[in-house]
Amino acid sequence: MANLVPDLLKPKYTTGIERELDVLYRLEASLPDGYEIFHSVSWHSLHNDFDKHGEIDIVVLSPIGNVLLVEVKAGDVSIANGQITKVYRDGPSDVGRQSRIQFAAVISRLSNAGLHTHVTNCLVLPDYIVGDQQIITIPPERIIDAARFDQLGSVVRGMLALDPPTTEIESIRKFFCNQFNVTLDMRILGEQVRTTTLRLADGLATWVPRITAPSGVIRIQATAGSGKTQLALKLLEDASARSFKSLYVCYNRSLADHIGHIAPAKAKVASFHELCVEYYRQTVGEPDFSAPNNYDGLSRHYCEAIEANANLQQRYQLIVLDEGQDFQPEWVAALLPQLTDDGRIYLLEDDAQRLYKREEFDLTDVVIVTCQDNFRTPGAVCHVINALGLTEQPVVSRSFYRGETPNFYTYKNDRELLRETENAVKHLLKRGIALKDIAIISWRGLAGSILIKTPQLGEFTLRRPTGKYSVAGDALWTEGALLTDSVYRFKGQSAVGIVLTEVDFETFDDKARRQLFVGLTRAQLAVEVVLTEQAAGCLNSVF
């Protein structure tokens, strides 16, 4: 498979964007290792003291260093008087003239740089058959129309010269990487990936609400990054628009706080234990949080009340139960009666993110939807996830951003832990990720984490959860520039750059696999892993 440079597709404002991406991905898949594909290549040249700018859709660099410039014109084109014309919003464009200008610009830039290689160009018309129409401005053999589109890779390889250039390929490769605008800007990359991920992962939110179930129970078993949060928000928004009474309930308090800030105001959003505490306060009084196993008693009180009190049943026309893998069977049993006869309950879950020992629950007359497509996590990270066997079924990477394989840092003691975690943060900063977009995620919980108890990491002040809440119910945090949390609390959320630290396990068992899976899939662009030598040895035995 060829290598894309850069991995991220820069947004274009043309009507043919989807077909252009199709051409790019077909080339990537059909060209063998050793080929490099540069896309959205900006060029700038001077002609008679006038500046000229443009963009070449694709540049293919062969393993020996020869170059093919590929211009893609998706959709309809017109041919008249031997010329190919493409009509845009700002008027018609002479495709042949555009190709000649681009070709001359690249030749000029290479010559000025003292680089000498074979350069040729071609035109791809994926939706148009030229047939026997005569083209003056572009040789017919240099046009790949719809009739030859299925052989795109082999045709492109045939167009590239076979004689080696006089310039070393590394110099030519560096030329395209450095002098043409193909270097990733990590400052805006995070927002681009988030925006595109939302669009790509919109599938669940689009078609799951259309599914009907006689029982009103729909169970979505979907991997991290598949769009479960988008689905939950879409369901709540639709219910709000129809003035339905809705409930979103999850296990993780921090996830409930996050959803509460972005969900419709009419929706009730809470963790399951928040529901229990709220009901206890209404019926008994203030709970004794210092009592041992107090939440067990609160949840038992709530579950028994729902079963016994008809006034607490059939209250919601929509219930979204998130993090279903973390729910006890009796908690689910307490939520089901609260659904109206014509209502729907959606259970969102991922067994690979099961971090607590729970008995599995079974439901009858339920429609089950499964999805292993991950749109958020970079492809290189998904490759590591599958190589380590972190999920029962392989994760299917759907992100168009390949990214880089995570770096692993080992430590022997607490001092080395802090030093290596700081190094991991600095590596993300060096890659161009802003400090505000980085999160340090501890393998340990709040009580056992050294990082969450540390106010400063080198030059970085840490923003840490205190475990306390305001009178209004908002989580209280310390002041700091760098977010630090536990993997347990951060489940269901994500950040551009992740440092997964304090990773430690004696055996690479199911619990360790699930916890590592949760940590790795929090990253939108990059993840660094800081682990003990013992844990590193366990992973090395897998690889």
Side-chain angles (χ1 to χ4, degrees):
M1 178 179 288
N3 181 43
L4 287 182
V5 183
D7 288 330
L8 176 71
L9 301 182
K10 296 180 180 179
K12 300 180 182 179
Y13 300 97
T14 64
T15 57
I17 179 62
E18 297 299 336
R19 290 298 269 162
E20 289 183 15
L21 298 186
D22 188 21
V23 173
L24 187 63
Y25 287 134
R26 281 176 182 248
L27 280 175
E28 180 191 24
S30 59
L31 291 177
D33 293 345
Y35 285 81
E36 290 190 81
I37 304 171
F38 300 82
H39 55 92
S40 301
V41 179
S42 299
W43 59 266
H44 173 213
S45 66
L46 290 172
H47 182 68
N48 295 330
D49 295 327
F50 287 97
D51 285 300
K52 289 189 176 182
H53 300 265
E55 183 178 86
I56 302 173
D57 292 328
I58 299 170
V59 175
V60 178
L61 181 64
S62 76
I64 61 174
N66 293 319
V67 175
L68 175 67
L69 311 181
V70 182
E71 183 67 20
V72 181
K73 295 301 178 186
D76 290 334
V77 295
S78 62
I79 299 177
N81 300 321
Q83 294 182 332
I84 301 178
T85 303
K86 177 73 177 179
V87 178
Y88 297 100
R89 291 181 179 178
D90 56 353
S93 173
D94 186 332
V95 176
R97 181 175 181 274
Q98 180 184 1
S99 297
R100 291 194 300 274
I101 291 174
Q102 291 175 346
F103 182 82
V106 172
I107 293 293
S108 175
R109 291 297 303 276
L110 285 168
S111 177
N112 292 338
L115 303 177
H116 304 282
T117 185
H118 302 279
V119 182
T120 188
N121 61 349
C122 72
L123 172 65
V124 177
L125 304 175
D127 305 308
Y128 194 94
I129 296 179
V130 175
D132 57 359
Q133 300 180 74
Q134 297 301 310
I135 309 296
I136 298 175
T137 55
I138 301 176
E141 62 272 15
R142 292 291 170 184
I143 300 176
I144 305 175
D145 62 2
R148 295 202 294 169
F149 190 54
D150 288 340
Q151 293 83 42
L152 180 64
S154 59
V155 174
V156 163
R157 291 178 65 183
M159 290 182 179
L160 284 156
L162 298 178
D163 297 330
T166 56
T167 301
E168 293 184 356
I169 183 175
E170 185 61 22
S171 298
I172 299 172
R173 190 189 68 79
K174 288 182 178 179
F175 171 81
F176 282 106
C177 285
N178 296 329
Q179 293 196 17
F180 281 70
N181 185 25
V182 296
T183 301
L184 289 175
D185 186 348
M186 300 296 283
R187 294 171 298 175
I188 63 172
L189 182 57
E191 184 58 36
Q192 291 177 329
V193 167
R194 281 192 294 269
T195 301
T196 307
T197 298
L198 287 174
R199 179 175 62 83
L200 292 175
D202 201 38
L204 286 178
T206 299
W207 51 264
V208 168
R210 303 173 184 172
I211 296 174
T212 59
S215 64
V217 182
I218 300 176
R219 197 169 185 174
I220 296 93
Q221 299 172 336
T223 191
S226 59
K228 294 191 294 294
T229 298
Q230 289 171 249
L231 170 60
L233 292 175
K234 179 64 164 56
L235 293 170
L236 295 174
E237 289 167 357
D238 289 348
S240 178
R242 301 174 67 181
S243 298
F244 285 174
K245 195 172 182 181
S246 61
L247 168 67
Y248 171 93
V249 57
C250 61
Y251 175 76
N252 196 337
R253 172 64 188 270
S254 58
L255 177 58
D257 293 341
H258 172 66
I259 296 295
H261 286 103
I262 57 179
K266 294 180 182 179
K268 182 176 181 61
V269 177
S271 70
F272 181 78
H273 285 121
E274 281 185 280
L275 296 179
C276 299
V277 170
E278 179 184 65
Y279 180 75
Y280 191 89
R281 284 173 173 159
Q282 292 173 350
T283 57
V284 179
E286 188 64 22
D288 181 8
F289 292 108
S290 63
N293 302 319
N294 60 85
Y295 281 106
D296 290 342
L298 293 171
S299 61
R300 185 165 53 252
H301 176 76
Y302 179 76
C303 293
E304 291 173 351
I306 298 297
E307 182 180 3
N309 191 342
N311 292 329
L312 300 177
Q313 301 174 9
Q314 296 198 12
R315 296 190 292 173
Y316 299 103
Q317 291 158 296
L318 170 70
I319 297 177
V320 178
L321 192 162
D322 204 350
E323 300 181 300
Q325 72 280 349
D326 293 332
F327 273 63
Q328 298 280 19
E330 57 268 25
W331 302 352
V332 179
L335 293 170
L336 289 173
Q338 300 185 53
L339 192 68
T340 60
D341 290 337
D342 59 347
R344 289 188 181 185
I345 180 170
Y346 293 82
L347 294 93
L348 314 182
E349 56 191 335
D350 179 12
D351 191 65
Q353 298 187 62
R354 186 189 299 272
L355 299 185
Y356 306 93
K357 291 183 179 180
R358 307 293 195 209
E359 294 182 17
E360 295 189 19
F361 56 86
D362 194 16
L363 299 171
T364 59
D365 300 325
V366 58
V367 171
I368 298 177
V369 178
T370 62
C371 179
Q372 284 297 107
D373 295 336
N374 184 313
F375 299 93
R376 178 180 64 217
T377 306
V381 180
C382 285
H383 178 74
V384 172
I385 288 171
N386 291 333
L388 291 172
L390 302 187
T391 58
E392 186 174 344
Q393 297 294 327
V395 171
V396 180
S397 175
R398 296 298 187 188
S399 173
F400 59 81
Y401 178 60
R402 180 179 291 119
E404 297 180 6
T405 300
N407 292 304
F408 291 84
Y409 309 74
T410 60
Y411 68 93
K412 298 178 183 178
N413 51 51
D414 293 349
R415 183 177 179 180
E416 290 186 2
L417 163 67
L418 297 178
R419 183 190 68 202
E420 295 304 324
T421 302
E422 181 184 3
N423 288 337
V425 172
K426 288 181 176 179
H427 186 264
L428 292 180
L429 291 172
K430 187 176 180 180
R431 289 186 59 185
I433 300 177
L435 190 66
K436 66 180 180 63
D437 293 326
I438 298 173
I440 297 177
I441 307 301
S442 172
W443 184 268
R444 306 174 185 175
L446 291 185
S449 170
I450 295 172
L451 264 299
I452 295 178
K453 297 174 183 176
T454 302
Q456 186 140 348
L457 181 68
E459 62 187 272
F460 310 114
T461 56
L462 301 184
R463 181 173 180 262
R464 302 160 290 133
T466 64
K468 300 179 181 179
Y469 294 86
S470 68
V471 177
D474 295 324
L476 298 178
W477 293 72
T478 65
E479 294 292 330
L482 182 56
L483 176 67
T484 307
D485 210 338
S486 75
V487 70
Y488 296 92
R489 288 170 40 89
F490 206 70
K491 184 162 58 68
Q493 302 177 67
S494 63
V496 175
I498 291 290
V499 175
L500 178 62
T501 188
E502 297 186 285
V503 178
D504 186 22
F505 46 84
E506 295 181 0
T507 59
F508 197 38
D509 55 13
D510 286 344
K511 183 179 184 302
R513 283 182 167 85
R514 290 167 178 166
Q515 207 161 323
L516 185 58
F517 174 75
V518 171
L520 293 178
T521 53
R522 299 310 95 201
Q524 299 167 3
L525 287 189
V527 58
E528 309 283 295
V529 181
V530 183
L531 70 170
T532 62
E533 291 184 344
Q534 176 179 253
C538 293
L539 294 183
N540 288 336
S541 66
V542 177
F543 283 120

